[in-house]
Structure formats: C-alpha cells, structure tokens
C-alpha cells in the first residue's frame, strides 16, 4: 500500500507449527527469528519500505520506546499479557490500536483509540474488557488449534483499518 516505515517486534523464531497460518514463512525459515524473515520477505514485496525488525518481546520496560514515532499499532500478539500491555501503552500515548485475535475457527478484531488526542468517547480495550484474563484461562493455539485461513481473514480486515487510519479514507 506504499507505507513508508514498519517496526516489527517479536522475540519468537519460526516454527513448523506456524506455517499454516503465518504465510510469510516457509519450511527453510524454521528456527530463524520471525522479525528477520518477515523483514526480508516484505522488502522483496516492496523494496522502498523501511522495515525495522526488533527481535525482542515487548515489556513494561521497552513498550513506550517501541511506540515512539508510531502512527498506528497493529497487534497480532498471542498472549493476554502482551495484548493488555500494548493496549495500555496505546492509551497512554493516544496511538490508535488495530487489535486482533484468533482461536480455532473464529477471530475478533477492533480498533481502539483512547487517550491523548483520541476522539471524544472513543473506546480503549479496557473499556470493553476491564480485567486482563488470567494466563491459561483460555486454551492457546498449540492446544486448541487455529484454522490457518482465519488468520488471513482477520489480517485482511485489520490491514484495511490501518489503511483507513493512515489515509483518512472511509470510516474506521
């Protein structure tokens, strides 16, 4: 879409179990850092794209630095702890957050935009889900599974919202 810069955060390596739902990766990428492989693939798709891969987990210590200069956050993380950390930081900084999650055969996505500079009465994650669920309260992907195409559908919807936020086209 001609985006200028993307900052990727992930501390995980490509696993064979990722391949059916994470389409940037191939079998020969197994064991490599996800952000490194994703950056290489995205640069091949759009050579003018500036990609900053950061092979780290987002934490309370680095989240605000990670959001420095970011116009929109796209969160496809897979733990409640990370999702709430990102949502709280988005609210602190007033950065719009396009959020998605999948499990089994379904998924959810939303655009949260609260905090400084956000439209009046615009919701944040904690407005709908005030308390972070306990770790292990919901089965993870390894236990419950994920239909690969579900991630593609949700990712397309999320990407559409990011484009709308960045361009001002359509209604978010």
């Amino acid at each position: 879409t001609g985006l200028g810069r993307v900052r990727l955060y992930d501390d995980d390596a490509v696993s064979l179990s990722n391949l059916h739902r994470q389409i940037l990766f191939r079998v020969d990428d197994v064991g490599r850092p996800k952000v490194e492989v994703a950056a290489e693939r995205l640069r091949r798709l759009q050579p003018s794209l500036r990609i900053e891969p950061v092979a780290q987990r987002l934490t309370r210590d680095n989240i605000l630095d990670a959001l420095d200069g970011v116009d929109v956050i796209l969160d496809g993380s897979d733990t409640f702890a990370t999702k709430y950390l990102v949502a709280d930081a988005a609210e602190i900084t007033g950065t719009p957050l396009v959020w998605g999650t999948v499990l089994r055969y379904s998924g959810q996505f939303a655009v949260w935009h609260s905090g400084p500079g956000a439209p009046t009465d615009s919701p944040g994650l904690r407005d709908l889900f005030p308390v972070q669920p306990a770790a292990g309260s919901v089965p993870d992907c390894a236990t419950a599974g994920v239909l690969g195409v579900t991630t593609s559908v949700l990712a397309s919807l999320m990407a559409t919202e990011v484009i709308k936020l960045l361009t001002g086209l359509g209604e978010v």
Side-chain angles (χ1 to χ4, degrees):
T1 62
L3 295 173
R5 188 179 84 183
V6 175
R7 184 177 299 150
L8 301 171
Y9 266 81
D10 198 325
D11 68 337
D12 201 5
V14 177
S15 168
L16 200 57
S17 66
N18 301 145
L19 301 183
H20 75 289
R21 68 182 187 278
Q22 297 176 2
I23 61 173
L24 286 178
F25 307 134
R26 301 182 314 226
V27 171
D28 58 344
D29 298 321
V30 170
R32 294 183 60 206
K34 286 181 178 180
V35 293
E36 180 182 302
V37 176
E40 288 172 8
R41 294 290 180 329
L42 293 172
R43 284 183 188 118
R44 282 191 210 128
L45 290 170
Q46 179 57 270
S48 65
L49 186 62
R50 290 176 293 148
I51 303 173
E52 182 184 342
V54 183
Q56 294 178 9
R57 177 168 291 280
L58 291 169
T59 67
R60 290 183 349 178
D61 295 330
N62 68 8
I63 186 69
L64 293 179
D65 287 337
L67 297 185
D68 186 42
V70 170
D71 296 317
V72 177
I73 304 162
L74 181 65
D75 178 14
S77 62
D78 60 1
T79 68
F80 289 127
T82 301
K83 288 195 173 299
Y84 275 78
L85 174 72
V86 171
D88 290 345
E91 185 160 350
I92 289 167
T93 61
T95 309
L97 168 61
V98 180
W99 174 96
T101 186
V102 296
L103 189 63
R104 295 186 181 118
Y105 316 109
S106 64
Q108 300 173 357
F109 86 101
V111 177
W112 311 110
H113 190 192
S114 56
T120 305
D121 297 327
S122 187
L125 174 68
R126 287 189 187 268
D127 293 321
L128 186 58
F129 303 110
V131 178
Q132 177 181 316
S137 63
V138 173
D140 62 13
C141 295
T143 305
V146 170
L147 181 65
V149 71
T150 306
T151 58
S152 296
V153 170
L154 264 288
S156 294
L157 292 169
M158 292 167 69
T160 299
E161 296 305 309
V162 169
I163 292 166
K164 289 169 21 180
L165 283 163
L166 291 174
T167 64
L169 296 173
E171 186 176 331
V172 175

